[in-house]
Amino acid sequence: MGFHIVVCAGIVPDPLQTLEPITGPQGPALKNEMMLPAVLDPWAKHALFEAAHLAAKTPDSKVWLVSMAPKTKLQQVMMSIAQKASFELVALDGPASGFTDSQAVAEALAAAINAISGLDRKRLLVFGGWESASRGAGATLQIVGERLGIVEQFQGVDELSVTASGSLRILERVEGGMHQISHCDGPPAVLGWATGSLPEPPNNPQVGMANMRTLMPALQKATAAGVAVDGKSFTSVEVPKQRRDTRIVKDASTDDIAREIMEWIKG
Amino acid sequence: MSATMQDSPRATLQTLPGDDVRQIMWRFAERYDIQMLLQSVREVARGPVARLVAEGGRNSHEWTEGKQALIKHFDEAGITTAAVGPEYGGIVSGPYNLLLSLISFELAWVDAGAATGSLAGFLAFAPINERGTPEQVAEYTQRTASDGKGGHLRGAFGLTEPLPYVGVETGTLAGKVRIVEWRDGQEPLLHVDKRGRFITNMDLANYVTVAVDSDDERIKGSCMIIVEETDPGTFDRGVPTKKLAHQLSSTRDPVISVKVPASRIIGGYTIENGVIVPNYSHGKIIEAVFKHTRVSVGLLTAAKLLSAIEPVIRYQRERFRGRPGIDPGTPRHDLGLQQREDVLHRLIDVWATGEAAASLGFAAARLFDVLDPLEKDKERALSEQGAKGGLSQVKALQGSEKRALEFLALRAQPESERDNARFQELESDTIVQYLITDAVGNVLCPACKLWNTGYGATMMREALSLMGGYGITEDCPGFLAQKWMDAQLEATYEGPEAVQRRQLSLSMTLDLFIEQYKQWILEMRRIAFERPGTGACSLASAMELWLYTLNHLRKSTDDFGKKLYNTPRQGVTFPLADALCWLLATRELISDVIELEIKGAENPALAEGLPGLVAFYTDLCHVQCARAAGEVGKVCAELVYGYNRHPSWDRDSCACYSAEELESLESIVPGITPVASGLVDVIGPDGAAPCKAGPCAHAEGLQTFQRLRAKLDGCLTGARLAKDRAAYALTEVMIPEVLDYPR
């Protein structure tokens, strides 16, 4: 029997864009956020590719992508993502910035998952990123699992394999570049993916057109998700600082440059 | 944007225009299938294509493994089969002119050679698609969709090019066809000899659509024939062409000598008195083909210009960073070269040109999407009337021209005043609608090809120069140097500039076009009233001046009594054709900006930045209107005055006063001397003429021109303020941290 895999994935501004925190009418925001091109959250994107891969090699499996974002932005992102994997979209119209509350987002996602028609909880694997590229709180997926009553949770997953008996063998990242190997009897389970090991599939317009049949209706019927941040405030917001220590040294020899680099690497 | 709105603080451009903006401006916001395919194309363009360029993949004339690998990416991304309809397994059901133009644009954003490779496949198929028999269309569409071996049939288009030192010039077809076998009751077997030069896709072509002339009295005229690599005989792909541009596309000089059945004649044939008469000459076929494909070529250059904006802004801002003492927060750090007005103004010129070129190209593509089905309907309608080809069709179309002009006149009238029954009758008349659409298409297509590539290449050089020495290096971000060289080839591909000017000089004088052009002038006046910030007023005045000049030149002669607007007189017709292109491109830009203003408001993702976007684009329109007006004014003045002989210091041509005459008049009209000296030529007491070429030229009969010219100059009021605002926007706009290619 195949899996029912639900991938939770938000969208974030294209990482190449200039991200400048500002204070908007509803609190912290990114300057021109709605105008910036968006991409599927990179961590969650790995989860989606892993889900599609697992579904493709496990007969009778199906993938849903549950995403909360402003639907016009989500639609633009889907024009590319929908070509990379087969899935059915469940769209929630809501904010996608990193300034939403993890619990409120998780509640909305869990409710959306609960509402999926035909979803078999006994076959359910909830995938997502172990954190997000917008804020990286690393909490949303865990709360989604808790709300769904799924206690088998794994974070920082790089590999999932299904044994002959149907149990799951999972590699989670731990300190020192090592992996922790866990075994799980089977679904339901929550897997927060790190990078996995699959390359990004090329766009395939045929796949995209097939997804389109459910994608556009899903976007059209996307309802507003209430994820107010009442009672919460941000004391400060800043993007990670870029460090640039440029020195101009004339006539340095190749050996000197190499030596200095080696010393820097060694710390 | 109303005049009252301009009094409020102006919003400015916040981010570079993204997909949402382009989809609205170029009218495919509702076409999700096209958007999806374009995302697929973008991934290939900014991924494998960009990586190959960065790795130096262009530095070889040979068809390398790296170039060949791109073909697989094109296939996977759906580019190869983009023109294949869903009934054959394709993805998009059209409109194909817009779709193929968008694909070309997306690839050319990174490398136009890659775009050419894909375009060439469409070009090869185009003769079949446009004029092929139903059987030919079905067979080659099916094989393009799938060759039955997991791949796709690929084609090349073999017209002709001059072969150096072998005595073949451009006007002669370097290909011959003759009958080698014709048994009673069977299909004739033909021998096709074709030598091509500069034939794109030859490294991978499975078939070539070649243009050939008859070398046999049993075959009439010229035709196009499909030859395949497996046909008996020689299918030599030839030597690589040592071109300096578009190196990612395969180009060779093939030698083909094969036997093919006569069923390969594109469009079929009839047999009359023992002679094979092709249904379409090669000229008829390429006329139908090029009217579509030239638009895509024009868009290649537009893509380059727009792709240059982001790297140039980044270069300008970062120019001084990293130097000691250039700290964040200082103008030199944050603005860099953008502290200087010149670089900003020049970049605005590049941007305005790119936008106008894109607007013109996509407008032309959309128009051909309307025209194509109309043309088929027209053929059907004419056939039903008994006009099945040649002269009978020409006569039938000429007979409908009056009705088309009547329709245009009715369309210009207010609905409440016109004969609506007659209007509706003519509106539903296929031939009438075909004629008026075709009249515009015959102008927009060459205008797009000519202006986008020709003037585009000039502006590409400008973009390059804004990057300083970095611009002319191989690792310049955005590959600007390569794009500059490519632009030069685009000006030549599919008919060099002179060919486009020649076509324009004929098509732009036709009544059906001129009547529509007159309505466009009124349209610009209306827009100027509603949106004065666009500069539509100056465009309308420039359009009027151009039309006056055309009419004047058509009925005027030069100092020797020779007609001015005359086919061989390219010194007259060609500059006027060039001037028209400026007007058309600018008009389309204004149209796209209005579309953005109206439809953008419906897109929540754009709501935040729309006022700034519209304000910036409005200023950009104004800038482009002023540049177009300046160009048109210059060209028209030179043509109107330039063919009159300059007067000399003789009695016949000198309406002069002598110094003594003025002195005597001084007693009657005190103060006349200094005033007259400024208005007329005054001969000195010693009979010496003023130190200049001759008496000032008088413009008898040209008062209307002078009035229009003076009006045009006045219409430029505010244009430079708009340019200042647009330039300021460049210093404020947020750009990404780095360019998004190579990925």
Side-chain angles (χ1 to χ4, degrees), chain B residues 533-580:
Chain B
T534 56
C537 186
S538 53
L539 187 67
S541 296
M543 290 172 81
E544 275 183 14
L545 187 77
W546 181 89
L547 184 58
Y548 174 87
T549 304
L550 174 68
N551 290 333
H552 171 79
L553 294 172
R554 289 176 81 182
K555 63 187 181 207
S556 301
T557 57
D558 67 8
D559 189 50
F560 302 103
K562 288 184 180 170
K563 282 180 71 175
L564 282 176
Y565 201 93
N566 203 11
T567 301
R569 201 102 197 221
Q570 296 172 344
V572 176
T573 58
F574 282 15
L576 212 55
D578 284 317
L580 177 64

Side-chain angles (χ1 to χ4, degrees), chain B residues 112-113 115-117 119-120 123 161 197-201 241 243 245-251 290 293-294 297-298 300 449-450 453 486-497 499-500:
Chain B
T116 301
L119 275 178
L123 181 62
E161 291 291 336
R197 185 159 190 261
F198 227 108
I199 305 302
T200 307
N201 266 12
T241 308
K243 57 184 177 170
H246 284 216
Q247 288 97 333
L248 292 195
S249 67
S250 147
T251 310
F290 281 162
T293 55
R294 281 172 175 161
V297 178
L300 302 183
K449 173 67 170 63
L450 172 62
T453 61
D486 286 353
Q488 183 57 41
L489 180 53
E490 283 141 32
T492 302
Y493 260 158
E494 296 197 28
E497 288 155 285
V499 171
Q500 312 309 321

Side-chain angles (χ1 to χ4, degrees), chain A residues 14-20 22 30-37 71-73 75-84 200-212 215-216 220 242 244 246-248, chain B residues 14-16 18-21 23 29 31-33 35-41 43 76-78 89-92 321-324 603-610 613 732 734-741 743:
Chain A
D14 185 328
L16 297 180
Q17 298 293 324
T18 304
L19 305 179
E20 191 178 329
I22 55 166
L30 286 176
K31 188 178 177 184
N32 300 326
E33 185 170 351
M34 282 297 279
M35 299 284 290
L36 298 177
K71 61 180 175 182
T72 47
K73 300 297 290 181
Q75 182 178 308
Q76 289 287 351
V77 173
M78 285 301 122
M79 291 302 120
S80 179
I81 287 298
Q83 298 187 57
K84 294 180 182 295
E200 180 164 338
N203 282 8
N204 183 335
Q206 298 283 4
V207 171
M209 291 305 288
N211 280 335
M212 194 65 90
L215 203 147
M216 294 313 293
Q220 280 160 6
Q242 289 184 357
R244 180 172 179 165
T246 303
R247 286 189 300 125
I248 299 175
Chain B
Q14 294 176 24
T15 59
L16 295 175
D19 287 337
D20 300 298
V21 175
Q23 287 158 8
R31 292 300 303 267
Y32 306 117
D33 48 352
Q35 292 172 27
M36 192 170 271
L37 187 53
L38 289 182
Q39 288 297 326
S40 188
V41 177
E43 191 165 286
E76 288 174 350
I91 300 156
V92 181
R321 291 182 194 173
R323 280 192 198 171
N603 185 337
L606 285 180
E608 185 185 348
L610 190 65
L613 264 168
E732 291 287 302
M734 205 164 89
I735 61 168
E737 296 283 349
V738 292
L739 202 60
D740 70 344
Y741 63 94
R743 292 177 179 170

Side-chain angles (χ1 to χ4, degrees), chain A residues 64-104:
Chain A
W64 287 264
L65 179 71
V66 179
S67 186
M68 184 169 77
K71 61 180 175 182
T72 47
K73 300 297 290 181
L74 185 58
Q75 182 178 308
Q76 289 287 351
V77 173
M78 285 301 122
M79 291 302 120
S80 179
I81 287 298
Q83 298 187 57
K84 294 180 182 295
S86 294
F87 58 80
E88 185 176 319
L89 178 69
V90 177
L92 302 173
D93 191 15
S97 77
F99 306 110
T100 45
D101 177 61
S102 301
Q103 178 160 339

